[in-house]
Amino acid sequence: MRLTADGQTGSAQEESGRVTAMDSKTKNRPQTLPDGARPTLKTIAFMTGLGITTVSRALKDAPDIGAETKERVRLVAKQIGYQPNRAGVRLRTGKTNVISLVLTLEEEIMGITSPMVVGITEILAGTPYHLVVTPYSAVKDALAPIRYILDTGAADGVIISRTEPHDPRVALLTERGLPFVTHGRTEMGIVHPYHDFDNERFAYEAVRKLVARGRRRLVLLEPPPHLTFYSHMRAGFERGLRDFQADAVSFHQTNIDHSLVEIRDAFEVLMRSDDAPDGIVSGSGSGAIALIAGLEMAKKKLTEDCDMVSKSPSDFLRWLRPEVMTMYEDIRVAGRELAKAVIGHIDGQPAETLQSLSQPEFQPPITRGLRA
Amino acid sequence: MRLTADGQTGSAQEESGRVTAMDSKTKNRPQTLPDGARPTLKTIAFMTGLGITTVSRALKDAPDIGAETKERVRLVAKQIGYQPNRAGVRLRTGKTNVISLVLTLEEEIMGITSPMVVGITEILAGTPYHLVVTPYSAVKDALAPIRYILDTGAADGVIISRTEPHDPRVALLTERGLPFVTHGRTEMGIVHPYHDFDNERFAYEAVRKLVARGRRRLVLLEPPPHLTFYSHMRAGFERGLRDFQADAVSFHQTNIDHSLVEIRDAFEVLMRSDDAPDGIVSGSGSGAIALIAGLEMAKKKLTEDCDMVSKSPSDFLRWLRPEVMTMYEDIRVAGRELAKAVIGHIDGQPAETLQSLSQPEFQPPITRGLRA
DNA sequence: CTTCAAATCTGTAACGATACAGGTGCGATG
DNA sequence: CATCGCACCTGTATCGTTACAGATTTGAAG
């Protein structure tokens, strides 16, 4: 057996005279170290005179390493700025230290991605996790990115949104045991981590507010029917109608996933009809914009002919149309909750403890500043 | 020499009788294969009867592999859905297949992240690259994420934004030879890939438009002075003032990085003063909102007392304030350009060929749909 | 003066891929 | 019939890390 430059045992082909006088205790100690390269366990092993294994275990605070040794190793590691090589860890253990955010490319329409990414990274910043954004285009391909992640082991945890009552992604992830969290709930009897906005309550409170303003013929701009929060929002809307005695005006042909132009045109028709509502609940902030446009094209005016309550993930409406009563959906906070939940799931916390609902509240008007 | 279960040569400690009769040609062929696990080169080697090295080189289309062999390997690889293990490649070659998008957490204010991420992922989807979002908080820490990426080799390419004329990030990345692209230009004599919006032209055209409307006392809501595009926008503004004979009204105490409330309040004061402008150029869409609010608090009206041109990365303004003339900054396209440029840089294309400027154009008003 | 267990430490193999430095076989050449 | 070059294929070592199965030392027990 001969030794190569850095002390690993070489091939078994004999070469006379190459066996050095090194005793076994220092057999695989690194003999040379690359110069300006980043430090590895080998570097620390060299500096401390310990074996690579020992260093690895010391940094992991393993029970079979002496207290003083651990201290020494930690000190050196810190001094030279050691950071474990992610590829090494990943190859050996399968741990990727990656959280994957799975997005529809179409999701940007709602402008939701941005604060969400910020919220997630705020949490991940304090952890070894990186955020990888994984997109998919067509709705039918929703499973594709999930399969990719499962097949290639691309992430330790996944964040998905736009959940459906029976969501195949949730089924697949659960079956394969990959930790995940959903933005939105499901109804398939699977207990899993989620964060959601309480859309039932939003719609209910919206109806209450509109009725308090004397409005009785209400319309709802709803989510697309296949998403879970469609039924939440509808349920809240209808409960409100019952409790506060108002009537629904039908507007089912249109939903928040339609283009602004479509929403506007459909709403203009409605507002010109005999069936025109006098109160609007808008399930999305951008949808509200289109509704306002349609309303104005029908020569109606907010506050006078009609009042409106809208969900709003941004400040635009409040600034430009203070007449619209808004309930703020804080996507950034949602991102934070989602990140905490996936990590919790990865760490083995029970799913029941990783579920949260954010309660809608009406926003105060913008402060009027200097002089009112 | 003995063989372990999967045919790798074992340690040199002799164990009698374990040497099989295998000839050297098949010495390191895999003997067993894990069951439902994902395929590796070993799997393909086993299926084709070739060596692991051969398979690796065949998939790389190396010149020393026979045409038929390549065909066979490719076929099998495709059949079983082989995808190279990223950790393996990364560990061995250092290639991460990662593009890092470096963002300020504060960037979300401008709502810019979302379409940008979408644009980038659209391009990356057709490549082996993943997008990792790397945030940093304080402005003084702008170098921290860059250093992290350099020190840990976390990415093959980097996308940064909010460039300064003398940007230390650009200096560092160039010095260390890590491919990158900037959203915005620099002025340090370093030729590097960039994509930028032509802010000079934007401001110039804005002034032209306002003067054409008879406005002569113009104000500019400008970017923060330390960013490169501050001077671009100012230059265009001033060139416009000269060419079209208008005057500047000073508003330097405030810029687009300030809060909407600050902008509004400062602008209200200005509009109430004797020095009130009659034309506004807004360097940001959200800034425009605040300006409008301030203007209205000063009891002035758009179109009557004042006209306004604004840069706008979204549709909100156009829908809610059609009186505002907007030039669209397509962030999604910017994301696409940036992604293409980093990849080009990684592939060794010369930096000069990876620079692009997006030309501003006035947006048409929203189509009025059914009946006008 | 063994023997044994506890406390520490360590070498080897392996994860999956690739660079490198050989093999092997075959037909052409002398 | 050696020899050579070419076309093709292959083993070994290695990237950085960790699981596993030993080593070694120490001191107490017998």
Side-chain angles (χ1 to χ4, degrees), chain B residues 28-29 51 53-54 64 66 69 91-92:
Chain B
N28 86 336
R29 295 299 206 294
T53 304
T54 309
D64 63 348
T69 304
L91 182 57
R92 183 63 238 246

Side-chain angles (χ1 to χ4, degrees), chain A residues 11 41 56 60 82 85 92:
Chain A
S11 79
L41 289 180
S56 172
K60 296 212 132 39
Y82 169 75
N85 180 306
R92 182 65 239 247

Side-chain angles (χ1 to χ4, degrees), chain B residues 88-131:
Chain B
V89 175
R90 181 165 172 177
L91 182 57
R92 183 63 238 246
T93 66
K95 174 107 185 167
T96 62
N97 284 305
V98 161
I99 302 294
S100 185
L101 172 64
V102 177
L103 289 178
T104 336
L105 289 179
E106 289 81 32
E107 206 138 6
E108 68 128 346
I109 294 167
M110 310 199 292
I112 232 173
T113 313
S114 179
M116 180 121 140
V117 166
V118 170
I120 296 170
T121 52
E122 275 174 357
I123 298 298
L124 298 192
T127 75
Y129 290 101
H130 284 184
L131 177 66

